[in-house]
Amino acid sequence: MVNMAEALERLKTLADSPVVQRVATAFADAGRELSLVGGPVRDAMLGVPVHDYDFTTDARPDEILEIVTPLSSAQWDIGREFGTIGARITTGEGQDAVSDTVEITTYRADAYDGETRKPIVAFGDVLDDDLKRRDFTVNAMALRVPDVKLVDPHGGVEDLLDATLRTPSSPEVSFGDDPLRMMRAARFASQLGFLVADEVQDAMQEMAPSIEIVSAERVQTELAKLLCTAAPSGGIRLLVDTGLAEIVLPEVPALRLETDEHHHHKDVYEHSLTVLDQAIGHETKRHPGGEPDLVLRLAALLHDIGKPATRRLEPGGAVSFYHHDVVGSKLAKKRLKALRFDSDTIKSVARLIELHLRFFGYSEGAWTDSAVRRYVRDAGDLLERLHMLTRADVTTRNKRKADRLAFAYDDLEARIDELQEQEQLEAVRPELDGNRIQAVLGIGPGPEIGQAYKWLLDLRLDEGILGEEEATRRLKEWWASSEA
């Protein structure tokens, strides 16, 4: 619960910070208005540390640049057409010097044609008009500086106290202006732990198809921001419940498989959200204070998306999902590519999904050292993420089974650590490289070299370190038998 007196005191502290005072004084001296707006004001009131300084002003971009240039060590105008100028401002001296990045935007009074995602940019002259066009009331508060006056024409303080997301104008108008705001509602609900007002959720459901006019790149960015919040599963639920996920990430609502009175299996949709939550728990435990791991979170959410396509109702009431790991990997690759994720993210998520069942063979029987080496080799630099995903995938309520699986994975990790210490598993390679193979076999470059290298690598994984002399002898024997 927000204490209003403490929130106002935090706003005063924010306004008194050196970087805010320096910028505010410069704009006041130039006869221009200046206000902190949006996220910094909201976060200060909530007691969340403020790292971004977003300002709005009645000055036009050229004048903004003219005012901030003497104060800053660097400026950029990549957002000039939208009225935004960025600058790096240093306060203090010597060891006490601190550099902050600020963004200052001219009041906006945009219009939208309702057919494309792009606004017709128009600059305004009145702060209240600028605030009206913002996404949610809690982001439509401004703090005038340097005189420190809170401007809240749309009841943002009340909604902050109620922990509720509402829109400054009607949600139909707001989402009509920019449909991506519907996804932002899901993100802020997760990020802030707020409820979404009924009328806002109703509008999201009614207007969900309009998200299709938003570019894949913008949808991807918003989805990534949602997944990188502390508790994204609530936002995912909102996207599914309103029908937005059917358009932007249809594989997730597809996890809500129909039940059959004669065949029973766990709720795959609920299981996937639990896995996402548990993966974040493992991530936080292993890397406290670290940056959110988007790859792990995408893999956790999507790890079972191959199940709908592979579900088979077996005799006797059993249900199978054979090869859902392979099918899911392909589906994830296709969806993430459509959302314009970068190739490294796509490749990593798909590989984790493909490998996420591998461990369960270990829990059913002891693996040889060779099998452990292959597990490490196949995971490569995704090994730690695979550890977290596999542990998160255990959602059984049967405590004995959960304890058995946890013990088995503890044992597997211990064996991996032991083998890595002995053999540096992460860099497993045959004792002979391609050039040495050519010399030993007396042949030139060609497919035979690749075949020989793979044979030597399998030998290395099966038997461990052989030494160059033994590897050479075994290679010659293999080559002689393959020529026979």
Side-chain angles (χ1 to χ4, degrees):
M1 182 69 178
V2 178
N3 181 298
M4 196 58 198
E6 293 177 358
L8 292 175
E9 188 59 34
R10 287 192 292 267
L11 284 180
K12 187 176 184 305
T13 300
L14 175 63
D16 288 341
S17 65
V19 63
V20 173
Q21 281 293 305
R22 191 170 186 196
V23 177
T25 299
F27 275 78
D29 290 346
R32 288 301 185 183
E33 297 178 2
L34 187 73
S35 299
L36 279 160
V37 69
V41 180
R42 179 200 70 221
D43 288 347
M45 296 189 72
L46 289 171
V48 176
V50 174
H51 301 292
D52 300 317
Y53 295 92
D54 296 329
F55 296 92
T56 188
T57 178
D58 59 345
R60 295 316 193 242
D62 288 344
E63 189 175 0
I64 296 173
L65 191 58
E66 183 180 334
I67 295 171
V68 300
T69 295
L71 314 176
S72 53
S73 58
Q75 312 83 37
W76 49 95
D77 62 356
I78 192 170
R80 179 192 286 265
E81 67 173 304
F82 298 104
T84 301
I85 301 294
R88 182 175 297 110
I89 301 197
T90 301
T91 55
E93 297 181 356
Q95 292 184 340
D96 296 326
V98 176
S99 291
D100 291 293
T101 297
V102 303
E103 287 192 350
I104 307 166
T105 303
T106 303
Y107 295 156
R108 296 272 291 276
D110 299 344
Y112 296 79
D113 61 15
E115 295 179 3
T116 68
R117 65 177 179 84
K118 294 183 178 180
I120 302 169
V121 177
F123 298 140
D125 299 300
V126 181
L127 175 59
D128 282 10
D129 290 345
D130 178 90
L131 297 178
K132 184 178 182 179
R133 56 166 290 279
R134 293 179 179 267
D135 52 8
F136 302 104
T137 59
V138 295
N139 296 332
M141 299 181 289
L143 183 66
R144 287 192 184 274
V145 288
D147 50 346
V148 193
K149 177 184 176 183
L150 181 63
V151 180
D152 179 25
H154 304 291
V157 170
E158 182 179 349
D159 288 338
L160 201 69
L161 293 172
D162 290 341
T164 301
L165 283 179
R166 302 182 194 277
T167 53
S169 54
S170 74
E172 291 79 9
V173 170
S174 181
F175 298 154
D177 284 348
D178 185 0
L180 189 68
R181 289 174 176 173
M182 294 185 287
M183 291 192 65
R184 287 169 65 84
R187 192 242 297 184
F188 282 122
S190 290
Q191 179 180 321
L192 303 174
F194 282 15
L195 294 175
V196 177
D198 289 343
E199 69 272 14
V200 174
Q201 189 163 338
D202 289 345
M204 291 171 66
Q205 189 165 358
E206 181 182 341
M207 301 179 68
S210 65
I211 197 69
E212 292 185 289
I213 71 171
V214 179
S215 71
E217 290 82 1
R218 293 184 74 212
V219 169
Q220 176 245 101
T221 297
E222 200 56 53
L223 178 62
K225 287 180 178 179
L226 165 59
L227 285 172
C228 287
T229 62
S233 58
I236 297 296
R237 287 184 189 280
L238 184 59
L239 293 181
V240 171
D241 292 345
T242 57
L244 281 159
E246 292 279 359
I247 300 167
V248 301
L249 199 62
E251 293 78 8
V252 172
L255 293 171
R256 298 178 297 180
L257 299 176
E258 294 180 5
T259 58
D260 181 279
E261 61 178 325
H262 302 296
H263 297 80
H264 302 282
H265 58 80
K266 71 174 67 175
D267 185 324
V268 183
Y269 172 65
E270 291 296 335
H271 165 75
S272 297
L273 293 181
T274 301
V275 173
L276 173 60
D277 291 340
Q278 293 187 167
I280 293 171
H282 288 298
E283 173 193 327
T284 304
K285 184 177 180 180
R286 286 181 182 247
H287 302 286
E291 291 295 316
D293 189 337
L294 178 61
V295 167
L296 175 64
R297 296 174 185 212
L298 280 167
L301 178 63
L302 303 178
H303 76 286
D304 273 349
I305 60 172
K307 281 190 170 181
T310 58
R311 185 172 72 155
R312 297 291 182 271
L313 306 180
E314 307 288 356
V319 180
S320 66
F321 301 96
Y322 294 125
H323 307 302
H324 77 267
D325 46 347
V326 176
V327 173
S329 177
K330 292 177 180 178
L331 289 173
K333 189 179 297 184
K334 183 178 180 180
R335 176 56 53 195
L336 297 180
K337 185 176 180 180
L339 287 170
R340 305 291 193 271
F341 278 92
D342 64 274
S343 58
D344 286 344
T345 296
I346 295 171
K347 182 179 178 181
S348 296
V349 172
R351 186 61 169 156
L352 284 170
I353 293 173
E354 183 181 354
L355 294 173
H356 83 273
L357 290 180
R358 186 77 65 86
F359 156 73
F360 292 97
Y362 185 90
S363 68
E364 295 167 1
W367 279 3
T368 63
D369 285 350
S370 170
V372 175
R373 293 187 192 101
R374 290 176 186 278
Y375 188 80
V376 174
R377 183 196 68 174
D378 291 346
D381 59 5
L382 297 173
L383 182 62
E384 185 183 30
R385 285 172 169 144
L386 185 58
H387 288 334
M388 292 187 281
L389 176 61
T390 302
R391 288 183 180 275
D393 198 21
V394 178
T395 62
T396 178
R397 295 180 182 178
N398 183 321
K399 189 175 185 304
R400 289 185 61 185
K401 182 177 180 181
D403 289 345
R404 177 175 62 81
L405 290 170
F407 176 81
Y409 209 91
D410 288 342
D411 183 66
L412 174 58
E413 285 204 66
R415 288 185 64 193
I416 289 172
D417 290 342
E418 182 180 346
L419 283 171
Q420 283 181 323
E421 185 175 343
Q422 294 172 358
E423 306 178 13
Q424 294 185 328
L425 264 184
E426 68 278 3
V428 168
R429 291 180 177 82
E431 281 85 352
L432 308 180
D433 62 15
N435 291 332
R436 183 68 181 135
I437 290 171
Q438 291 182 58
V440 169
L441 300 182
I443 60 177
E448 294 86 357
I449 303 303
Q451 294 166 10
Y453 186 91
K454 183 180 183 303
W455 184 84
L456 284 170
L457 178 58
D458 288 339
L459 186 66
R460 169 74 172 82
L461 290 169
D462 288 337
E463 300 186 23
I465 299 171
L466 298 174
E468 184 174 346
E469 182 177 346
E470 177 64 11
T472 299
R473 185 185 70 79
R474 299 281 286 275
L475 175 63
K476 288 179 178 178
E477 288 182 353
W478 172 80
W479 181 248
S481 65
S482 65
E483 284 190 313

